[in-house]
Amino acid sequence: MADVAKEAGVSHQTVSRVLNDHPNVRGETRARVLAAIGKLGYRRNLVARALVTKHSRTLGVVSFDTTLYGPASTVYGIEQAARSAGYFVSIVSLKSIDRRGVLDALDYLADQGVDGIVVVAPQRSAATALTDLPGGIPTVAVEGGQAGGVPVVCVDQVEGGRLATEHLLSLGHETVWHVRGPSDWLEAEGRVAGWRAALAAAGREGPEPLAGDWSPRSGYEAGRSLANMKDVTAVFVANDQMALGVLRAFTERGVRVPDQVSVVGFDDIPESEFFSPPLTTIRQDFDAVGRQSIEVLLRQIGGSGERERLVVSPSFVARASTAGR
């Protein structure tokens, strides 16, 4: 920094003000300092800065199975929101989430000196692992259910399931079948709850849901079973990848969508509008989840002790895979 100051003909303090975007620097002076920085290839020593300020400007993220669209999009939204707020992100991906694994990840990030941590906790085991965490580092859970003593930011999965089911019922279908996600996933539980609630409110009987594991293969197997049932006219599938498998199975069995069976998915993955037919689905606002989780975490870092719970509403996306009876 002293070399930059000498090159620009200014004081060390002026260089510091330019680097920190202080408003009380003349435009001409700022330009000279920036030119000197470019000429000398100066880079700030973030480690030294952290020692002085006691803040690393780095946030930790603990996630699980980022190969799936939902968790991957959630992590991306968090990373973008953190960068917009002027923070770097350090990510730890766990093969499985249990209390020991979460605690080890938190210890690892604490050793890196992160200012706060976001835990993407879509499974019940992950939410349970966040109960009674040792204090010291501000922590926020995403999709964490009732995650003990930490703030939570989540999508209203129950509302999403309700929106999908109500749409199908409004088209004149007597009932709606459901291909659910894994039983230990909080998101899957919420979507089942919304499906059941919408059926109950309409006075309809709910058939037993078919099990899936989020993969197209599991949707395909469920679709083969559904294709053999003559009374199936409407299906709500818990994610778009499984819906793709359902559509493939229906096509192979000669079941026309939406002429004979209407199908609704969940997530609105980028490919869903190019399915055959284009998939009606429920969209999750991952950008909003990322933004709000970082906002909550920064309030925690700033000293807020409030255990917030922020819920992001999903939205309905109508395409060509549903039709009236």
Side-chain angles (χ1 to χ4, degrees):
M1 192 180 290
D3 291 338
V4 170
K6 182 178 179 180
E7 176 70 25
V10 298
S11 68
H12 177 281
Q13 290 80 5
T14 297
V15 175
S16 178
R17 284 195 290 270
V18 170
L19 291 170
N20 290 288
D21 294 323
H22 197 283
N24 294 335
V25 180
R26 291 191 304 167
E28 180 185 351
T29 302
R30 185 182 302 275
R32 288 208 317 273
V33 171
L34 293 176
I37 288 172
K39 178 180 179 180
L40 299 177
Y42 171 76
R43 296 290 185 272
R44 283 189 287 184
N45 189 326
L46 296 179
V47 175
R49 182 185 181 190
L51 289 173
V52 172
T53 65
K54 308 302 181 184
H55 291 288
S56 65
R57 303 297 293 181
T58 301
L59 302 177
V61 176
V62 179
S63 185
F64 167 75
D65 201 350
T66 50
T67 60
L68 292 171
Y69 178 76
S73 298
T74 300
V75 170
Y76 180 77
I78 291 168
E79 184 178 14
Q80 294 304 303
R83 288 187 178 185
S84 295
Y87 283 80
F88 298 98
V89 173
S90 179
I91 300 175
V92 176
S93 296
L94 301 178
K95 291 183 178 180
S96 61
I97 290 187
D98 53 26
R99 183 167 178 78
R100 184 68 265 159
V102 171
L103 290 176
D104 287 346
L106 295 178
D107 286 342
Y108 173 79
L109 291 169
D111 289 343
Q112 291 189 0
V114 299
D115 295 333
I117 299 173
V118 179
V119 181
V120 182
Q123 291 179 297
R124 182 168 298 282
S125 58
T128 302
L130 294 175
T131 303
D132 298 325
L133 286 177
I137 299 181
T139 304
V140 172
V142 174
E143 300 295 347
Q146 304 295 329
V150 303
V152 172
V153 178
C154 62
V155 174
D156 192 339
Q157 307 293 340
V158 176
E159 175 69 4
R162 186 186 64 79
L163 286 173
T165 308
E166 287 182 348
H167 168 69
L168 291 166
L169 293 175
S170 72
L171 294 174
H173 297 279
E174 286 298 316
T175 191
V176 178
W177 290 75
H178 182 46
V179 181
R180 62 164 297 153
S183 59
D184 60 333
W185 283 66
L186 296 166
E187 295 164 317
E189 290 182 6
R191 294 168 200 179
V192 169
W195 166 69
R196 292 193 190 279
L199 288 175
R204 310 294 173 83
E205 290 292 329
E208 189 67 22
L210 286 77
D213 61 9
W214 301 132
S215 71
R217 167 61 66 181
S218 67
Y220 175 76
E221 296 298 335
R224 291 181 59 174
S225 298
L226 290 166
N228 292 328
M229 304 176 190
K230 294 182 179 180
D231 58 342
V232 175
T233 67
V235 184
F236 163 43
V237 189
N239 78 338
D240 291 350
Q241 283 96 340
M242 290 194 298
L244 176 61
V246 169
L247 293 175
R248 169 69 181 273
F250 283 172
T251 298
E252 289 183 354
R253 295 299 180 91
V255 177
R256 299 187 306 278
V257 177
D259 297 340
Q260 293 174 276
V261 180
S262 290
V263 178
V264 176
F266 205 109
D267 279 340
D268 192 27
I269 64 175
E271 298 85 359
S272 61
E273 65 177 310
F274 300 102
F275 287 1
S276 182
L279 184 66
T280 296
T281 188
I282 304 298
R283 176 181 296 152
Q284 300 193 76
D285 191 342
F286 295 110
D287 289 340
V289 170
R291 183 177 64 255
Q292 293 192 26
S293 63
I294 293 302
E295 289 174 355
V296 171
L297 184 58
L298 294 183
R299 286 195 288 271
Q300 293 290 311
I301 292 171
S304 171
E306 185 178 354
R307 296 295 180 256
E308 300 179 67
R309 179 177 176 81
L310 301 184
V311 180
V312 177
S313 296
S315 57
F316 176 77
V317 180
R319 296 196 180 102
S321 64
T322 57
R325 295 296 294 166

